[in-house]
Amino acid sequence: MDRKNKIHLFFRCILYVSAIASFILSAKKINLDSSQSLITFVVFVLACTLIGNMPFSMKNTGDIDLSDAIAAFIFILYGTETVVFFTSIFAVMVMFIREKYITKRNDNSKMFFNIAMFIVSARIAATFATAILRGFEITSFIGHVLYSIGFIGSFIFLNVLIIKIDSNLENEKKFVLDRESNQLLGVNFVISSFVAVSLSQINSTSKMIGALLVLGNLLMLHYCFHILRKIKIRNESIKGLIKITGDIVKYGEFREKCKHLITNMKDLIPYTICSIYTFDVDNDGVTYPVAYDGPEGIGIGDLSIDLSSSAVTIKTIKEGKIYISNEISRDKKVKFTGKFSDAINVAIIVPVLIGEKVVGSIFICGKKNLINFTANGIDDLLNILSNQMALAIENDGIYRDMKNKADIDSLTRLYNRRVLDREIENLISTNTQFSLVMYDIDDFKKVNDSFGHLAGDEVLKMVSDIVRKSIRKTDVACRYGGEEIIIIFKDLSKEDACVISERIRDNIEITSTLWSGGNIFVTVSGGVSAYPQDGRTKDDIIKIADDILYTQCKKMGKNRVCAYQVLEESAVSKDHI
C-alpha cells in the first residue's frame, strides 16, 4: 500500500472512530426525559427517514432534502447531544434503506462513510453554533434564526469539506464543485434555514402540536416535489427516446439504425458498454453484436454471446423480460467473463421480441452510477425501445427477402457473387470501413474424388450453414466460386474480423457431415483483408485476401486464418458471455 492510500485509510479510520465516539457520548447524555419528548423524537426520525429517501430536485444536477432543517430544529429544541444521537439514528436508517432497497447498490463502504460523515458533521456543527452564539437567547426569534443558520451552514460546509478531503486522497486529484452544485448547496441552505426557523417559531407559540402539523405539511410538500422530480426525469427520458425512435425510422439500413441508436442512447443512459444483437435462440453457437460502443480495449470477441442451451445469460434472455443485474459478480442469472466483466458492475438486458419469439437483445452495461438511472422506473421506456427495435428487425427481414430472392445461391443458400460485388462497391462508394475473409475448403477435391460430388455438395452446405449461423445480421456471406466463400464484415476492424473468422474455422473443424454411414470432416483456410487500409478497390481487397489465403494458410499447413501483414496465426480468446 503506497503512502497516499495509507493516508486515505488513516483519514477514514479517524472519521469512523470520531463517529462512534460521538454516538456513544450523545447516547449517554441524551435529554428525552418525557414521553412527549420521546414521541416527538421518534416522529421526527421517521420524518427525516422519509425525506432522505425521496429528495426533490431544484436543478438538473442534484437533489435537495430538508433533513438539515429538521436536525436544526431538534438542535434548538433539545441541544447538542440529542441532535447528534438524532442524526446517528436517521442517517443509519436513510443510508440502509437507500443502498439496500432503493438503489440496490449494496455499497457498504459508501454507506458507512456517509453515516460517519453526518454524525461527525452534526457534532462539530452543533458545538460550533453553541460556542459562537452563546450570548444569544436560543428561544427568541433572533436566536432561532442565528442558531438555524449557524447549525445548517456549518453542517453543509463540513459535509462538503469531508467529501473533498476523502475524494482528493482517494483519486489523487483536486475535487472541485461545479457552479451548479454550489448553487444547489446555496438553495438547500436557504430553504432548510427557513424551514428550521418556521418550525422553531411555531413550536414556541403553538407548542408541539403546531410543529407536528407543519411537519405533516412539509412531508406532503416534499413528496409532491419528489413526484414532480420523477415526472421531470421521465419526461426528459421520453424526449430522448423520441429522438432515438426517430433515428430508427429515419435510417434505412439496419446497421445504420443500430449505430445511431447506440450513439443517441449515450445522451439518455450513462452506460459504459452498449451492444445490440440479433440471433436465432434455437441455434447453438456464438453470436456477435451488430453494433457496439465501449471503452478502448473491448473488442467484438469480448462481447460474444454463447447461444448454447446450457449458457446462463441466454437462458435469462429467453425469458423475454427486461432483466436488471445490480451486481453482476454475484448474479447467478448472468455470466460475463474476461474484459467485459472487468469493465462493468451493472447490466440491463433488454430482450427484443417479435410475437413471443426472442430475436435479439440490447445490452446496456455500466458502473454503479447506472443504478441511479434504473431507480427511476425505466421499464416502460425500455419496452418501447425494444418494440421499436423489433419492428426494425422485422422490416429489415422483409426488405432483405424482397430484395434478395434472386440473389441466393441455390446450393449453399448464401448470396451469390452479384451481391458480393454490389455490397463491396456500395461500401467503398460511401467510404465505409469493412473487412472480409475469403475461405477455401482444404483438400475439397479429395472429398469429391473419395465420396463423390453429391457428398461434396453436402459438405459445402454444411460449411455454408455454419457460416450463415455464425455471422451477424448485418454481415454478408457469399459463395465466391466453387468451394470458396467470402464474408463481408461491415464496420469491423481487421482484428475483430479475425476473431469471428477464427471461431467459424474452429466450428467447421469440429463439425462433420454424415455420408453413407460415416462422418466426413473437413477444415478451411481463410485470408482476411480490410478497407481502406489494405486496398482502395474491390479487386485489390479480394486479391489481397486471396493471396494471404494461399501464401500464409495453404502453404503453411492449412486449417488456419491469417490477416494481411499479420503472419502469425490469430490468437483468439474463446470466452463467452
Side-chain angles (χ1 to χ4, degrees):
M1 184 182 292
D2 59 25
R3 182 172 177 271
K4 197 78 173 180
N5 289 333
K6 287 180 180 178
I7 295 174
H8 180 231
L9 180 61
F10 178 73
F11 172 76
R12 286 215 168 187
C13 287
I14 292 294
L15 182 68
Y16 294 147
V17 170
S18 300
I20 293 169
S22 295
F23 174 77
I24 293 172
L25 288 174
S26 63
K28 288 182 178 180
K29 298 180 181 180
I30 185 172
N31 180 25
L32 295 173
D33 53 0
S34 67
S35 59
Q36 182 179 349
S37 298
L38 183 60
I39 292 171
T40 302
F41 183 88
V42 172
V43 168
F44 276 89
V45 165
L46 294 176
C48 265
T49 303
L50 288 173
I51 286 173
N53 284 308
M54 55 175 193
F56 67 87
S57 177
M58 296 292 289
K59 295 282 183 182
N60 291 329
T61 55
D63 302 321
I64 293 175
D65 73 60
L66 300 179
S67 56
D68 300 349
I70 297 178
F73 172 68
I74 294 293
F75 166 60
I76 293 170
L77 195 63
Y78 296 117
T80 299
E81 305 303 337
T82 304
V83 76
V84 173
F85 186 73
F86 173 84
T87 303
S88 304
I89 299 300
F90 97 77
V92 169
M93 293 177 67
V94 168
M95 290 300 135
F96 181 80
I97 293 171
R98 186 183 298 173
E99 293 294 326
K100 301 296 182 181
Y101 299 105
I102 296 179
T103 62
K104 298 180 182 178
R105 277 181 288 211
N106 296 314
D107 192 344
N108 292 330
S109 175
K110 182 179 180 181
M111 182 173 68
F112 293 145
F113 173 78
N114 286 336
I115 292 170
M117 178 181 68
F118 289 143
I119 295 172
V120 171
S121 296
R123 162 69 66 177
I124 298 175
T127 304
F128 173 79
T130 302
I132 297 298
L133 301 170
R134 190 178 297 276
F136 293 90
E137 187 179 351
I138 197 169
T139 57
S140 67
F141 174 74
I142 297 298
H144 291 163
V145 172
L146 293 177
Y147 276 92
S148 295
I149 291 175
F151 177 84
I152 294 171
S154 302
F155 186 76
I156 292 174
F157 172 78
L158 287 165
N159 284 339
V160 173
L161 180 63
I162 291 171
I163 290 172
K164 287 187 71 168
I165 294 173
D166 187 73
S167 180
N168 290 342
L169 292 173
E170 184 176 24
N171 300 320
E172 298 186 7
K173 61 181 180 180
K174 189 174 181 181
F175 176 86
V176 180
L177 291 173
D178 58 29
R179 181 179 177 184
E180 288 187 337
S181 296
N182 284 319
Q183 290 176 347
L184 186 70
L185 290 172
V187 172
N188 194 32
F189 170 70
V190 171
I191 293 176
S192 294
S193 298
F194 175 78
V195 171
V197 171
S198 300
L199 284 170
S200 300
Q201 279 295 104
I202 291 169
N203 181 66
S204 297
T205 57
S206 303
K207 301 305 178 185
M208 190 53 63
I209 295 298
L212 291 176
L213 288 174
V214 172
L215 178 64
N217 288 327
L218 180 63
L219 285 173
M220 291 300 297
L221 182 63
H222 205 284
Y223 178 72
C224 290
F225 278 120
H226 174 66
I227 296 299
L228 183 63
R229 169 183 176 269
K230 293 184 77 71
I231 292 173
K232 180 182 176 183
I233 293 173
R234 190 175 184 83
N235 287 342
E236 289 175 352
S237 298
I238 289 174
K239 287 179 182 178
L241 185 63
I242 289 172
K243 186 180 187 309
I244 292 173
T245 304
D247 278 354
I248 290 178
V249 175
K250 176 181 175 183
Y251 292 95
E253 191 178 5
F254 182 69
R255 175 175 53 91
E256 291 298 316
K257 293 178 189 289
C258 295
K259 286 170 59 180
H260 282 86
L261 169 64
I262 288 176
T263 300
N264 289 337
M265 280 177 61
K266 192 72 173 180
D267 297 329
L268 179 64
I269 305 173
Y271 69 75
T272 303
I273 298 173
C274 184
S275 49
I276 299 174
Y277 304 83
T278 60
F279 45 74
D280 185 347
V281 292
D282 296 326
N283 292 330
D284 287 345
V286 176
T287 189
Y288 302 88
V290 172
Y292 69 92
D293 178 41
E296 187 175 352
I298 300 290
I300 198 167
D302 303 302
L303 304 177
S304 61
I305 299 179
D306 187 351
L307 297 177
S308 61
S309 57
S310 60
V312 174
T313 306
I314 194 63
K315 288 180 180 177
T316 302
I317 296 173
K318 285 180 180 179
E319 292 176 2
K321 297 178 181 178
I322 294 170
Y323 184 76
I324 299 175
S325 175
N326 287 309
E327 195 168 0
I328 63 167
S329 61
R330 298 183 182 181
D331 196 332
K332 295 181 179 180
K333 293 199 70 175
V334 293
K335 183 180 180 182
F336 299 86
T337 59
K339 295 179 183 177
F340 198 170
S341 63
D342 295 337
I344 63 172
N345 305 108
V346 180
I348 306 172
I349 299 176
V350 185
V352 179
L353 293 85
I354 296 178
E356 296 183 355
K357 184 177 181 180
V358 177
V359 296
S361 183
I362 304 170
F363 279 24
I364 304 166
C365 308
K367 299 293 186 179
K368 291 188 177 180
N369 62 334
L370 185 59
I371 298 176
N372 294 329
F373 174 77
T374 64
N376 289 312
I378 42 81
D379 281 15
D380 289 345
L381 297 176
L382 295 178
N383 277 322
I384 293 171
L385 186 59
S386 173
N387 291 337
Q388 292 296 324
M389 204 67 216
L391 182 61
I393 292 174
E394 194 169 24
N395 288 342
D396 181 67
I398 295 170
Y399 173 76
R400 285 173 178 269
D401 288 343
M402 293 174 60
K403 183 179 178 182
N404 297 316
K405 271 189 176 180
D407 295 330
I408 299 294
D409 178 70
S410 59
L411 175 64
T412 62
R413 307 305 299 164
L414 302 177
Y415 291 115
N416 57 33
R417 190 162 177 170
R418 182 168 59 251
V419 174
L420 174 72
D421 294 340
R422 184 175 68 221
E423 290 287 339
I424 293 179
E425 287 168 359
N426 285 342
L427 291 170
I428 291 176
S429 67
T430 56
N431 199 31
T432 302
Q433 173 188 339
F434 69 92
S435 300
L436 66 79
V437 59
M438 175 183 283
Y439 285 118
D440 185 83
I441 300 176
D442 298 325
D443 301 315
F444 188 66
K445 186 175 183 300
K446 289 183 179 179
V447 174
N448 285 330
D449 291 344
S450 301
F451 301 97
H453 287 279
L454 291 178
D457 288 346
E458 291 301 315
V459 167
L460 191 53
K461 285 194 285 187
M462 179 270 293
V463 170
S464 301
D465 189 52
I466 291 174
V467 166
R468 194 167 54 251
K469 291 179 179 178
S470 302
I471 61 175
R472 305 171 304 161
K473 193 179 187 68
T474 53
D475 299 329
V476 179
C478 306
R479 184 181 184 184
Y480 187 64
E483 69 273 18
E484 290 179 325
I485 295 171
I486 288 181
I487 306 172
I488 304 170
F489 300 105
K490 299 179 182 179
D491 284 318
L492 276 198
S493 66
K494 192 159 43 179
E495 292 73 22
D496 283 345
C498 282
V499 169
I500 301 178
S501 301
E502 173 65 16
R503 281 188 171 158
I504 291 172
R505 182 209 60 76
D506 187 56
N507 286 339
I508 291 170
E509 182 183 10
I510 62 176
T511 307
S512 64
T513 300
L514 183 63
W515 186 259
S516 297
N519 292 315
I520 303 174
F521 285 91
V522 295
T523 60
V524 297
S525 297
V528 180
S529 61
Y531 172 86
Q533 59 264 45
D534 294 342
R536 289 283 180 176
T537 67
K538 177 193 70 177
D539 292 340
D540 287 344
I541 298 298
I542 293 176
K543 184 178 184 305
I544 287 169
D546 191 34
D547 289 344
I548 290 296
L549 168 63
Y550 283 94
T551 59
Q552 300 299 329
C553 296
K554 294 290 189 180
K555 291 185 178 180
M556 300 295 289
K558 305 175 184 177
N559 190 26
R560 54 198 287 131
V561 172
C562 299
Y564 182 57
Q565 292 182 340
V566 181
L567 302 183
E568 67 273 15
E569 182 173 337
S570 302
V572 181
S573 170
K574 296 183 180 177
D575 288 336
H576 301 304
I577 293 175

